[in-house]
Amino acid sequence: MTMQTTGPMLCVVGARPNFMKMAPILRALAAHGEGLPHLLVHTGQHYDADMSDKLFTDLRLPRPDINLEVGSGSHAVQTAEVMRRFEPIVDQHVPSCVVVVGDVNSTLACTLVAVKKGVPVAHVEAGLRSFDRAMPEEINRVLTDQIADVLYTTERTAAGNLVREGIDAGRIVFVGNVMIDSLRANAQHAVAPVETLRRAGEDPGRLGLPPRYGVVTLHRPSNVDSRDALEPLLVLLRDTSQRLPLVIALHPRTRANIDRFGLAGLVAGSGLIPLPPQGYLEMLGLMRGATLVLTDSGGIQEETTALGIPCLTARENTERPITIEQGTNTLVGRDPAVILRAVEEILSGGGKRGRVPELWDGHAAERIAADLARRFVVRAGAVA
Ligand code: UD1
């Protein structure tokens, strides 16, 4: 029998990339022993139906117990608002620990609130570093890891990064990758690409028969927030789509900037197939059937490695080096000539195959639940 010394664990999600990490953790907490008491807190950083609700359904996430409804804002406003609204939740529930995932503003905000109240924090996906402090996520990662109590890592290089930053090795636990837990748990439910196009009102015939296409996602501020960055990328996509149809799932930030810079003409009338943000099962189906993926997302670099699909990452750096060393990922930066050459190589040779990294085995969340139970839940009869 388990007995808590304090209240339930508070498991925090905020933005889209958090949801697929938290879903398997919640299932593992519920399945551990008689169940580890926990509550799901959604900060509301992402709030749209297709950025949040749809993902909850796809991933079979329970409805959040608490929604802080912070919405959009500048980094300062968003982070501060999460902190203001999370503090009374911590006061009310006196959690045994707070579990945060990834590197979004909500991750850092809730970590700051909890540690200053003496509540232990467990950070899932710790120790990843792009070494690029211009990236808001890098700031969130470095600061969260400095102050969190337990650091769960997805790849072995992460521990080296943490130790170099002066973090005690005793706080670090290599558990593997919860993203891949989600991927495996949902593989059989993936939506066929032709069906995804049909649902979006696009002619599935545009993918060819049999379907042969690439998938594109771009949303990093460095790629989409200035016309100088976005326009050449869209020109490149338009040109590439003459060779291979490209399905591009447009993040709200990217969609807004295409309109703001008057670039809508570049995504219409070519082999580019623009779609709204896609659900988890639709993206899984699209990626699994793709000839290649071009992205600036962190999670997609990992998912394509697990799926064995060649991935071109339109960034100068990655915090996920294992996807390059062992997986199917290639960094191509933002130079259209370099990207085009990499696309041609894949079209002619099939691209990188790679292998699935250590402990990306579908069981990372179980290892996390077992470790959390050991640390934060007292067994009845045990001497405190
Ligand atoms: C955030 C994360 C980023 C993650 C990305 C995934 C931080 C610092 N960044 O960036 O790491 O890769 O989510 O999507 O936390 N918007 C909507 N609907 C929504 C949410 C946002 O329309 O549900 C709009 C906002 O109004 C804003 C833009 O999308 O104009 C960006 O949203 P924001 O949450 O600020 O950052 P992301 O770029 O999504």
Side-chain angles (χ1 to χ4, degrees):
M1 195 178 119
T2 56
M3 184 181 74
Q4 293 165 259
T5 43
T6 48
M9 299 180 192
L10 293 182
C11 299
V12 176
V13 292
R16 188 169 64 175
N18 292 163
F19 306 147
M20 45 295 262
K21 292 168 195 160
M22 192 55 85
I25 296 173
L26 295 188
R27 277 198 288 278
L29 292 179
H32 189 89
E34 293 168 7
L36 301 174
H38 61 276
L39 295 173
L40 177 60
V41 181
H42 188 344
T43 65
Q45 179 175 340
H46 282 178
Y47 45 86
D48 274 359
D50 36 354
M51 295 297 284
S52 182
D53 304 357
K54 171 80 165 89
L55 279 289
F56 266 69
T57 311
D58 285 358
L59 293 159
R60 288 165 287 135
L61 269 164
R63 277 176 76 84
D65 299 288
I66 298 151
N67 195 325
L68 305 180
E69 296 181 348
V70 297
S72 298
S74 68
H75 283 264
V77 167
Q78 195 171 59
T79 308
E81 216 35 66
V82 173
M83 290 181 71
R84 269 165 48 104
R85 297 183 193 199
F86 188 58
E87 179 169 41
I89 306 298
V90 175
D91 290 340
Q92 183 189 342
H93 293 283
V94 197
S96 57
C97 73
V98 168
V99 181
V100 296
V101 296
D103 53 19
V104 303
N105 288 340
S106 302
T107 310
L108 174 61
C110 293
T111 300
L112 264 172
V113 170
V115 293
K116 288 207 171 175
K117 289 183 167 290
V119 174
V121 171
H123 182 210
V124 177
E125 201 188 82
L128 297 182
R129 296 291 181 268
S130 65
F131 304 102
D132 174 5
R133 294 273 169 116
M135 214 182 158
E137 293 80 3
E138 183 76 352
I139 309 295
N140 294 340
R141 291 181 200 119
V142 169
L143 297 180
T144 300
D145 287 339
Q146 270 299 321
I147 57 179
D149 298 79
V150 190
L151 302 169
Y152 294 122
T153 60
T154 55
E155 56 175 275
R156 288 197 184 272
T157 55
N161 294 336
L162 293 167
V163 169
R164 262 196 308 281
E165 289 170 13
I167 289 167
D168 188 310
R171 286 162 56 198
I172 307 168
V173 189
F174 174 47
V175 291
N177 195 334
V178 287
M179 289 277 288
I180 309 309
D181 292 10
S182 263
L183 191 121
R184 291 183 175 226
N186 291 291
Q188 82 242 40
H189 305 298
V191 177
V194 287
E195 177 59 20
T196 297
L197 260 72
R198 207 175 285 128
R199 286 182 195 170
E202 290 287 345
D203 172 11
R206 295 186 69 189
L207 297 180
L209 207 67
R212 187 164 179 276
Y213 60 91
V215 173
V216 180
T217 79
L218 293 172
H219 75 281
R220 293 261 156 246
S222 54
N223 280 337
V224 306
D225 275 7
S226 75
R227 192 196 174 103
D228 284 353
L230 185 56
E231 187 169 14
L233 279 172
L234 292 179
V235 169
L236 165 87
L237 295 178
R238 184 197 59 192
D239 295 349
T240 307
S241 74
Q242 309 302 329
R243 302 264 284 109
L244 179 75
L246 293 177
V247 178
I248 178 164
L250 287 171
H251 187 282
R253 174 192 282 279
T254 312
R255 164 76 69 187
N257 287 334
I258 287 174
D259 293 343
R260 183 156 65 101
F261 303 135
L263 301 174
L266 286 174
V267 289
S270 62
L272 259 185
I273 308 171
L275 301 182
Q278 290 299 300
Y280 184 77
L281 302 175
E282 285 81 0
M283 272 312 287
L284 195 50
L286 281 169
M287 286 190 288
R288 201 165 61 180
T291 298
L292 62 87
V293 173
L294 175 68
T295 192
D296 58 11
S297 151
I300 289 178
Q301 295 173 52
E302 297 184 341
E303 289 165 338
T304 45
T305 275
L307 292 167
I309 302 295
C311 178
L312 302 177
T313 296
R315 285 173 45 188
E316 305 299 336
N317 49 57
T318 179
E319 62 286 337
R320 293 163 162 88
I322 204 166
T323 60
I324 298 192
E325 287 149 20
Q326 297 183 15
T328 58
N329 194 16
T330 308
L331 274 185
V332 290
R334 279 188 298 166
D335 179 347
V338 174
I339 301 178
L340 207 54
R341 208 172 320 124
V343 169
E344 288 298 340
E345 264 173 40
I346 294 171
L347 290 181
S348 57
K352 255 172 116 170
R353 282 283 159 246
R355 64 184 152 96
V356 178
E358 185 185 5
L359 296 192
W360 291 23
D361 60 358
H363 299 288
E366 291 156 36
R367 290 187 277 271
I368 290 172
D371 190 74
L372 287 172
R374 230 178 353 256
R375 288 172 195 269
F376 299 120
V377 181
V378 177
R379 308 234 158 235
V383 181

